[in-house]
Amino acid sequence: MQKHLDLVQSMTQPKLEASNPWLIGGVLRTQLQNVLYNKDEFKHIDDELIDFGKFCNDTLYELSVDAELNPPKLIKQDVYGNVIDKLVLSEGWRKEKEYASKCGIVAMAYENKHGVWNRLIQLLRLQMYQPVSGLFGCPLAMTDGAAYLLKQWLINPTTQCQETTSLVKQGFENLISRDPQKFWTSGQWMTEKDGGSDVNNSTTTIAIHQGGNKYKLFGYKWFSSATDSEMTLTLARIVPENKIEEFKKFPLSLFIMRVKKDDGTLNNIKIMTMKDKMGTRQLPTAELLLQGSEAFLISEEGKGVKAISHMLNVTRLYNASSAVGSMNRLYSIVLNYSLKRKAFGKILIDKPAHQAMLTKFNLNVRACSLFYFKVAQLFSKIQNNVANKDEEEMFRILTPLLKLYTAKICMYWMSEGIEALGALGYMENSYIPLMLRDAQVLTIWEGTTNVLCLDFLRALKSNDKNDPLQKLDIYARFHTHVMMTQLSADTQLPETRKSFIPYIAKMTINHNGIIAELSNILKGSVKYSEMRIRDLCFILCEAFVGGQMLELISKNGREEDILTFELWVEQMQQYTTTWSITPKAFEVLVNQNMVKSKL
């Protein structure tokens, strides 16, 4: 009997292990090789990325676990009753910051080591870093966005104020520093008590002029991530002191401010409370009261939203990098587990149902990776001033689509991945559930799905009143060029291409149908319903990804690329001009059956 008890106590579950993220994410590796024609250059960069992938798994992952187990705490008072508002941060969080600086997670994008593809390679490293960053990738997103904005400001300043210029220069240099002693992170304080993405209507923070370019800010920042940052960019309304009651009439402006004064005390900021969140618990997120915080204007007065929009493109790319990287990491964990876990006499990977799930998981990781790579490639060209006008417009159009699509697909596969690991994936101390909790924020931060769909429509609006389809035509030409180029006689498509012409036909029908409908919307020739926009955006994303898969076939002609394309098109939604979700459906099913809570 004891022998049997010893036996059952000695039995264990297979260990959950992740593969090197650069090697398992093979489609990104292939795409980089296609872009870097110099084989020696690719070999050098490839080796660096393999090494960084190993560093992520071996070192950064352990720090991320420490940050999860020891979330930030706020000490409001010392033992004598003095208000100190002290943040207590874990060793894992502090080390993540140190390594972020040393590894140049942000800095690489502003260096010249890889020329025009500097930003592209930085973003490829970033998607490996994000899942093991202990959420330090969040303040880095705002840090990178701020650095990008401040760099543009230094080229075209809005004031000659030396104090402002000095702070902007110091900020930019420290945000991109590889020296942990100099390295700064930046906040992006926009969300207030009314919440949401509608900052024009929800912002209540006011700025009172102090002379020159200096202001004092008064307001309540309801959701400020990166509370431990050294600086922040924030929106506020410049209001004369005798018109404070009319503050809503004044447009938003953008300010730069230090979080702490030179003596180390907070810049007239009171930390009200820490946020108790579903996920991202590693991240110090707080509610802040600005009580006359010293700040400097860095936009034209009243044009703060336009100024900060440059930052949003960067942070949305970071959001997508986290989605792609998290999917890739969990896929590798699920795949490795399936090689070891036995059920009903076989290892999981020999089970046809499990094979189907793994294939779909792989397909979606490839799809999101290709989408991410294309937008990263466009941004790299823009940042290095080699993009043409069409490429600049495509980046603006694709960025909200990339963010919304990768976030939603990631959420689905985080849940599916946990299910594939069974009870082991459900256990908190496997550190798999935190991947699902943390992924949920990706659908919310920097714009929910609905907000991003509407932003996509804004990106399509033409600046030329006589040509309302100007930007839509740019998108259509871009996608059609990919399609037509791959079908022309001089491409490297294999002879088997005739077999997947029907797949191209389906994708083209979807694409053309959506373009026609968007055309009517932009021309104002049809009554537009927001009820349709989500489905339109998702079908458009699927068609765009299909085009990227087709382009990959023309460059490599591998069987896996052909099969990926065919499988992708087979599972795509079919565009239709009739939709079941209508205002009438809402009225009958929702509105007429509404039971309001007590007010």
Side-chain angles (χ1 to χ4, degrees):
M1 188 64 71
Q2 185 59 46
K3 187 175 181 180
H4 178 71
L5 291 176
D6 291 342
L7 171 65
V8 295
Q9 289 184 86
S10 68
M11 296 173 71
T12 59
Q13 285 273 336
K15 187 178 180 181
L16 299 182
E17 296 177 304
S19 303
N20 187 303
W22 182 240
L23 298 178
I24 196 74
V27 71
L28 292 174
R29 196 180 183 200
T30 301
Q31 284 290 70
L32 182 61
Q33 192 168 13
N34 289 334
V35 166
L36 300 174
Y37 297 108
N38 186 312
K39 291 183 178 179
D40 290 336
E41 183 183 9
F42 171 76
K43 177 67 169 60
H44 175 68
I45 295 171
D46 189 50
D47 288 343
E48 283 187 352
L49 292 172
I50 291 172
D51 288 344
F52 185 70
K54 187 174 186 303
F55 179 71
C56 287
N57 281 352
D58 295 348
T59 302
L60 295 182
Y61 172 69
E62 294 299 327
L63 297 176
S64 71
V65 169
D66 181 80
E68 170 72 12
L69 294 176
N70 300 283
K73 297 178 182 178
L74 173 64
I75 300 176
K76 289 292 296 180
Q77 295 181 330
D78 65 15
V79 68
Y80 306 107
N82 299 306
V83 176
I84 57 174
D85 283 349
K86 180 181 178 181
L87 274 177
V88 179
L89 304 168
S90 69
E91 177 66 12
W93 180 264
R94 293 195 297 271
K95 292 295 288 185
E96 287 279 7
K97 181 176 183 179
E98 177 185 330
Y99 281 124
S101 175
K102 288 180 177 178
C103 294
I105 302 298
V106 173
M108 176 182 260
Y110 300 90
E111 298 167 346
N112 296 312
K113 185 177 180 181
H114 303 295
V116 68
W117 301 125
N118 239 45
R119 170 63 80 172
L120 172 63
I121 293 166
Q122 180 252 353
L123 288 169
L124 293 178
R125 292 173 88 230
L126 182 66
Q127 59 85 29
M128 295 190 283
Y129 169 80
Q130 289 277 37
V132 295
S133 70
L135 260 294
F136 201 78
C138 176
L140 290 187
M142 295 175 281
T143 297
D144 198 342
Y148 188 74
L149 189 152
L150 296 184
K151 182 180 180 182
Q152 304 302 316
W153 190 92
L154 289 168
I155 295 170
N156 187 26
T158 56
T159 178
Q160 298 302 312
C161 169
Q162 288 303 308
E163 199 171 2
T164 305
T165 302
S166 176
L167 178 56
V168 171
K169 282 182 177 179
Q170 181 187 21
F172 177 68
E173 290 171 2
N174 289 358
L175 293 174
I176 65 169
S177 176
R178 285 181 180 256
D179 180 355
Q181 300 303 313
K182 285 182 59 180
F183 182 57
W184 283 6
T185 58
S186 176
Q188 176 186 307
W189 297 352
M190 296 195 295
T191 306
E192 302 201 359
K193 281 198 172 182
D194 277 352
S197 300
D198 186 9
V199 292
N200 274 313
N201 291 312
S202 65
T203 300
T204 58
T205 300
I206 60 173
I208 305 299
H209 193 212
Q210 302 299 304
N213 198 45
K214 187 183 294 185
Y215 294 77
K216 285 190 175 181
L217 306 189
F218 299 84
Y220 198 105
K221 296 300 181 179
W222 188 68
F223 213 101
S224 57
S225 294
T227 307
D228 61 325
S229 291
E230 286 78 9
M231 62 159 278
T232 191
L233 300 181
T234 188
L235 294 171
R237 304 178 190 275
I238 297 176
V239 180
E241 285 195 65
N242 62 346
K243 293 189 177 181
I244 290 177
E245 291 183 357
E246 303 172 35
F247 72 92
K248 282 272 189 170
K249 294 181 180 179
F250 297 87
L252 297 174
S253 300
L254 181 63
F255 296 84
I256 183 173
M257 60 179 277
R258 291 289 304 273
V259 174
K260 291 184 178 180
K261 302 175 184 177
D262 290 338
D263 63 4
T265 60
L266 290 170
N267 180 11
N268 299 324
I269 300 168
K270 183 178 182 181
I271 303 178
M272 303 300 289
T273 185
M274 300 296 288
K275 288 292 194 181
D276 187 7
K277 301 164 292 179
M278 168 187 171
T280 67
R281 297 171 183 172
Q282 315 92 314
L283 176 67
T285 308
E287 296 180 26
L288 305 176
L289 184 66
L290 309 187
Q291 305 174 104
S293 305
E294 185 179 279
F296 296 88
L297 178 66
I298 58 167
S299 71
E300 294 181 44
E301 187 171 336
K303 295 185 177 179
V305 175
K306 180 180 178 181
I308 208 167
S309 64
H310 298 291
M311 189 175 185
L312 298 181
N313 285 330
V314 177
T315 52
R316 286 174 178 175
L317 266 171
Y318 268 69
N319 202 92
S321 75
S322 188
V324 170
S326 296
M327 288 174 66
N328 195 34
R329 180 175 177 82
L330 187 54
Y331 169 73
S332 77
I333 291 171
V334 170
L335 181 61
N336 285 324
Y337 184 70
S338 71
L339 295 170
K340 297 178 284 188
R341 172 67 169 165
K342 287 184 178 180
F344 304 105
K346 289 184 178 181
I347 55 174
L348 287 180
I349 202 163
D350 289 338
K351 296 285 186 179
H354 204 74
Q355 292 172 353
M357 181 276 298
L358 286 170
T359 303
K360 289 179 183 178
F361 201 163
N362 181 290
L363 183 65
N364 280 271
V365 172
R366 285 172 181 262
C368 290
S369 297
L370 283 170
F371 200 166
Y372 176 67
F373 187 93
K374 174 53 69 174
V375 179
Q377 188 179 7
L378 288 171
F379 188 41
S380 203
K381 294 179 75 172
I382 290 168
Q383 188 167 331
N384 286 278
N385 300 312
V386 297
N388 59 41
K389 185 64 177 175
D390 281 7
E391 288 172 326
E392 290 177 358
E393 293 292 355
M394 279 300 295
F395 175 71
R396 172 67 182 93
I397 292 167
L398 288 175
T399 301
L401 292 177
L402 172 72
K403 192 274 186 185
L404 73 88
Y405 188 76
T406 54
K408 294 296 279 188
I409 299 301
C410 177
M411 269 306 300
Y412 176 86
W413 285 104
M414 289 300 101
S415 176
E416 194 76 15
I418 287 177
E419 181 182 339
L421 298 172
L424 194 59
Y426 193 69
M427 301 302 294
E428 283 289 351
N429 56 352
S430 72
Y431 308 115
I432 299 297
L434 74 90
M435 297 184 74
L436 176 64
R437 291 199 307 273
D438 290 349
Q440 184 65 73
V441 79
L442 301 178
T443 65
I444 300 169
W445 187 59
E446 298 299 26
T448 61
T449 305
N450 286 346
V451 167
L452 289 163
C453 289
L454 298 176
D455 188 49
F456 162 70
L457 276 184
R458 280 193 294 272
L460 288 179
K461 286 186 178 178
S462 174
N463 299 321
D464 185 350
K465 293 182 179 179
N466 297 319
D467 185 9
L469 305 183
Q470 178 191 44
K471 295 184 180 180
L472 182 62
D473 287 344
I474 291 172
Y475 177 88
R477 283 200 308 270
F478 188 93
H479 184 77
T480 303
H481 174 74
V482 170
M483 304 283 288
M484 293 301 101
T485 301
Q486 310 325 316
L487 288 173
S488 65
D490 59 347
T491 64
Q492 299 302 309
L493 283 174
E495 286 301 314
T496 54
R497 66 183 176 185
K498 292 181 180 178
S499 68
F500 55 74
I501 286 179
Y503 297 99
I504 297 175
K506 177 183 176 181
M507 191 169 68
T508 303
I509 290 170
N510 274 5
H511 174 262
N512 291 347
I514 293 173
I515 293 299
E517 183 163 347
L518 288 171
S519 175
N520 289 330
I521 290 169
L522 292 169
K523 288 188 294 186
S525 57
V526 296
K527 186 177 180 182
Y528 163 61
S529 171
E530 285 184 14
M531 286 185 168
R532 295 173 66 84
I533 192 60
R534 277 176 74 123
D535 289 313
L536 288 175
C537 284
F538 276 94
I539 296 174
L540 194 67
C541 286
E542 289 180 345
F544 180 80
V545 168
Q548 297 308 299
M549 290 176 174
L550 193 58
E551 189 172 36
L552 187 61
I553 294 171
S554 72
K555 293 178 179 177
N556 298 86
R558 302 177 304 180
E559 182 182 15
E560 67 178 83
D561 299 325
I562 295 171
L563 191 58
T564 296
F565 172 70
E566 293 177 348
L567 287 173
W568 183 253
V569 178
E570 283 178 359
Q571 59 86 52
M572 278 173 52
Q573 298 179 67
Q574 184 68 52
Y575 173 77
T576 174
T577 56
T578 58
W579 299 76
S580 57
I581 305 299
T582 62
K584 181 180 179 180
F586 168 76
E587 179 63 28
V588 173
L589 299 180
V590 180
N591 216 25
Q592 292 179 12
N593 290 283
M594 191 178 298
V595 179
K596 295 182 179 180
S597 60
K598 292 181 180 180
L599 299 179

